[in-house]
Amino acid sequence: MIILGIESSCDETGVGIAELGADGSVRLLADQVASSVGQHARFGGVVPEIASRAHLEAMRPTMDRALAESGLALSDVDAFAVTRGPGLAGALMVGVGAAKAYALALGKPCYGVNHLAGHVAADTLQHGSLPSPCLALLVSGGHTQLLLVEDLAGKITELGSTIDDAAGEAYDKVARLLELPYPGGPPIDKLAAEGDPEAIAFPRGMTGPRDARHDFSFSGLKTAVARWVERAEAAGETVPVADVAASFQEAVADVLTMKAVRAAEEYGIGTLLISGGVAANSRISGLAAQRCAAAGIELRVPRPRLCTDNGAMIAALGAALVHAGVAPTAMEFGADPAMPVELISL
Amino acid sequence: MHVLAIDTSTPVVTAGIVELTTDAVRVTATSTVSRTRAHAELLGPEVRELLRRAPAGIAAIVCGVGPGAFTGLRVGMVTAAALGHALEVPVYPVCTLDAIAALAGPGPFLVATDARRKELYWAVYGADGTRVAGPDVGAPDMVRAVAAEHGITRILGDGVLDGEVLACDPLGLVHAAEDAVRANTEPAALTPLYLRRPDAKEPAGRKRVSR
Ligand SMILES: [Zn+2]
C-alpha cells in the first residue's frame, strides 16, 4: 500500500510518500518540503497570509518532486492523508483542498489527520513501530505538548501543554532580543555552545509545588531574559550573549526534560519520544539522553529532517490508520485550526 | 466536450459542468452553494457530484483566479490544479471579473465587486467586451472616477456600486476561456490575483519589559 501525505499547517509545504507493509511496517519513499521561512524572517514570526500564498504556489512543484523521488505515478497511490489541524486556517485549507481533489479524482480514500499525531508517527519511519504505551514530548515553534500515546491510530491523550508561548517561540523571542536571526533555535544553540549554562540562573517556569505538573510556561523565562539584558545594558556592561544564550537554553532544556522524564516515571512508561523542530536542539536532546539513561528510559529522537514539519510524517500517520483499519474521512471535511490531539483523524 | 468550471473568489462556491459543442456553450450541471467560509468543506463534494454527471470525463478545467479577498480563493485554485494534475487535463485561469463580463453583452461597462475593507475590485471593458483597464482594487469614489474617465455609465457586478447585479457563474467562466479551451492551447500559469500585499508589519524596535 502506498500512502501519500500532505502537510501545510504552518510555513512548510510537505509531500511525503510511504509504503505500508503487510506487517504494519512503514518505509519512506519520498519526503519533499518547500519552506517559506525566509519570507517570514523580517517579521520575526510566521505571517499567515504569506504562508498561505506560499503553500498554493509550492503545492504542485512539491508534489511533482515527491513523485519523482519515489519513482511512482499518482495512480500508484492507494490512499491520501492530509493535515486537517491544528494550524493556521488559511494554510491548512490549501493542503486539505489539494488532498481532497487528488483523492476524488483518483477514486482513492483520504484521511484528514492530526498534525501533532503526525509528529509522533514520524519516528516510525526511522525506528519502527512504537511500543505501547509511550510518552511523546513535542517541541516546536508552534507546540509544546506532553502526550501519552497508547495507540498511534487510536488513542493519544494530552498530559500537558504550554500555557503561554511554545518552546520554539521563546527561542525566537530571545533570539530577537540578542539580535540573532530568525528562526531563533539554531543560532541560540550555536552560540550557547560557547557560553556558560550556569552563568545566569534564569527561572524554571511551572515547576513550583502548586503548578500544573505536566504543563509548561516559557513567557516568564523570556521576560526574565529581557530584564536581565536590559539591566546589563543600563549598567553599561557588555552583554555576555553566549552566556545568556547558554543559560536560557539550559532553563528550557532543564524544564522540558525534567517534566518529560518525571511523567514517564509516574506513568510507568519505558519509552520517551521527542519530536518537533526544537527536538533537534543539541542541549535538549543531550540532556534528555542523560536523564533517560539515568532513569532507565529508552529515548527515541527522529533525525532532524523528520522532526520538523513534513509530509512524510503525515504519510506515516496515514499508514498507521490504514493498517489499523480506521475508516477514511468523508469528503465533507474542512480544515480544523484547533483540532484537539485526542482526535487523530476524523 | 465537457469542461469543469470552478470559482471560489467570492463568498459563494461556484462550480459547474459546461458542454462545449461545435457551435454552442451550454451548462449541463451546475451548483452554486452559498455558505461563506465553507469552501474547503463544500467544494470537494460538489466537484465529486459534478464529475459523476459527466460520465465521459472532462476535457479541461476553467478556474477563476480572483481578484478575491477570501482565503477560499485558494481552495478553488488548489482544487483545480490538483484535479488537472490527477485527471491529466489542462487548467485555464480566468479573471473572475472577466467571467462576469463574458455574460454582460456588448460594452462598454465597468465590473465591480466587493473587495472588503471598503474597497472594490474593478475592471473596464470596451465596446467588444474585452478588458481595457484593470483588474485593480480601489475605494468606491476612485472606481466611479475611473468609470467617468472612460465615459462609462453601465456598471455591473455584485451590486457594490448600485449597478446591475451579475454574478460569476460556470457559463461565464467557460465563455471567458472558450477560445483557449477550443484551441487546446497551453494554459497560462494558474496565478491568483490578490491585488493586495499580505497584511504584515515588521516589528518595531525592542519593547522594554523593565519598569
Ligand atoms: Zn509541527
Side-chain angles (χ1 to χ4, degrees):
Chain A
M1 290 276 279
I2 302 295
I3 322 291
L4 187 146
I6 296 177
E7 154 66 29
S8 71
S9 67
C10 192
D11 58 348
E12 326 275 5
T13 312
V15 177
I17 303 176
E19 185 178 24
L20 170 66
D23 58 350
S25 61
V26 281
R27 196 162 66 92
L28 185 59
L29 303 181
D31 174 20
Q32 292 292 327
V33 173
S35 179
S36 62
V37 64
Q39 296 180 55
H40 306 285
R42 65 195 175 99
F43 302 108
V46 175
V47 180
E49 176 68 14
I50 292 176
S52 303
R53 290 184 180 192
H55 284 305
L56 178 63
E57 237 171 83
M59 190 54 70
R60 175 65 194 269
T62 311
M63 180 65 96
D64 285 338
R65 289 206 313 276
L67 288 168
E69 186 189 353
S70 69
L72 297 171
L74 261 184
S75 54
D76 295 323
V77 177
D78 296 299
F80 290 85
V82 61
T83 301
R84 185 177 174 241
L88 303 168
L92 289 164
M93 270 184 217
V94 177
V96 167
K100 284 168 66 172
Y102 278 112
L104 78 88
L106 298 163
K108 298 292 164 65
C110 184
Y111 291 82
V113 308
N114 193 300
H115 176 83
L116 302 172
H119 273 303
V120 177
D123 189 62
T124 64
L125 292 166
Q126 188 177 345
H127 298 119
S129 62
L130 292 166
S132 174
C134 92
L135 190 73
L137 173 66
L138 302 189
V139 274
S140 75
H143 13 271
T144 308
Q145 255 108 1
L146 206 48
L147 307 175
L148 173 60
V149 184
E150 288 171 84
D151 172 7
L152 181 54
K155 192 163 189 221
I156 298 181
T157 317
E158 183 178 285
L159 300 182
S161 68
T162 180
I163 59 160
D164 40 55
D165 294 348
E169 226 177 321
Y171 268 91
D172 293 340
K173 288 175 177 173
V174 168
R176 246 175 70 68
L177 197 75
L178 300 178
E179 286 164 6
L180 297 170
Y182 168 89
I188 288 184
D189 198 5
K190 195 159 168 254
L191 194 60
E194 300 155 25
D196 175 5
E198 283 164 19
I200 309 154
F202 286 129
R204 270 53 171 167
M206 293 294 279
T207 53
R210 297 168 72 181
D211 288 330
R213 220 162 159 69
H214 306 304
D215 282 343
F216 302 93
S217 166
F218 295 104
S219 169
L221 171 59
K222 168 205 72 193
T223 308
V225 175
R227 282 224 172 87
W228 197 94
V229 170
E230 282 168 15
R231 186 210 49 79
E233 282 172 346
E237 299 164 16
T238 312
V239 177
V241 282
D243 286 348
V244 173
S247 301
F248 158 76
Q249 173 149 296
E250 193 62 19
V252 176
D254 183 24
V255 174
L256 286 174
T257 57
M258 182 277 284
K259 288 206 169 208
V261 170
R262 183 175 69 188
E265 286 179 320
E266 282 180 12
Y267 282 83
I269 297 169
T271 305
L272 172 66
L273 161 67
I274 306 184
S275 191
V278 179
N281 178 278
S282 69
R283 185 57 186 152
I284 290 168
S285 53
L287 193 55
Q290 210 178 305
R291 288 180 170 174
C292 280
I297 294 167
E298 181 207 10
L299 176 66
R300 291 169 60 144
V301 184
R303 57 181 177 267
R305 170 83 197 198
L306 288 174
C307 278
T308 48
D309 291 352
N310 60 70
M313 69 187 205
I314 302 305
L317 179 56
L321 293 165
V322 169
H323 184 67
V326 174
T329 311
M331 208 29 94
E332 285 72 17
F333 78 96
D336 183 357
M339 191 173 187
V341 68
E342 284 76 15
L343 202 60
I344 298 167
S345 73
L346 195 67
Chain B
M1 92 177 115
H2 288 87
V3 177
L4 173 67
I6 293 174
D7 183 280
T8 57
S9 63
T10 73
V12 178
V13 174
T14 303
I17 296 278
V18 173
E19 188 179 0
L20 279 180
T21 59
T22 39
D23 54 2
V25 179
R26 68 183 184 94
V27 178
T28 313
T30 187
S31 68
T32 308
V33 188
S34 183
R35 215 181 103 200
T36 313
R37 291 167 205 275
H39 299 81
E41 289 85 349
L42 298 174
L43 186 60
E46 284 303 325
V47 167
R48 184 180 51 187
E49 190 48 41
L50 289 169
L51 291 177
R52 266 192 205 134
R53 291 197 252 165
I58 54 169
I61 298 170
V62 174
C63 181
V65 296
F70 294 86
T71 54
L73 168 65
R74 285 184 282 265
V75 174
M77 295 191 60
V78 82
T79 299
L83 289 171
H85 184 195
L87 299 172
E88 296 176 10
V89 297
V91 183
Y92 295 97
V94 164
C95 166
T96 304
L97 301 176
D98 290 358
I100 296 172
L103 298 180
F109 52 79
L110 181 145
V111 176
T113 59
D114 186 7
R116 304 202 287 189
R117 296 188 218 167
K118 295 178 181 159
E119 287 189 319
L120 312 178
Y121 296 125
W122 62 270
V124 175
Y125 297 81
D128 63 351
T130 56
R131 174 153 42 90
V132 295
D136 210 336
V137 62
D141 285 350
M142 183 274 224
V143 179
R144 281 193 196 94
V146 169
E149 208 177 284
H150 285 84
I152 286 172
T153 51
R154 189 176 170 217
I155 291 173
L156 40 106
D158 58 8
V160 278
L161 275 187
D162 300 328
E164 298 163 46
V165 175
L166 193 61
C168 165
D169 75 5
L171 201 57
L173 285 161
V174 174
H175 260 305
E178 192 179 340
D179 293 345
V181 174
R182 282 190 191 281
N184 193 29
T185 54
E186 183 71 23
L190 200 62
T191 308
L193 293 164
Y194 293 118
L195 306 186
R196 282 190 187 124
R197 298 168 71 85
D199 270 337
K201 261 199 213 115
E202 282 184 55
R206 232 162 71 191
K207 262 187 293 187
R208 283 194 68 82
V209 296
S210 309
R211 278 168 293 228

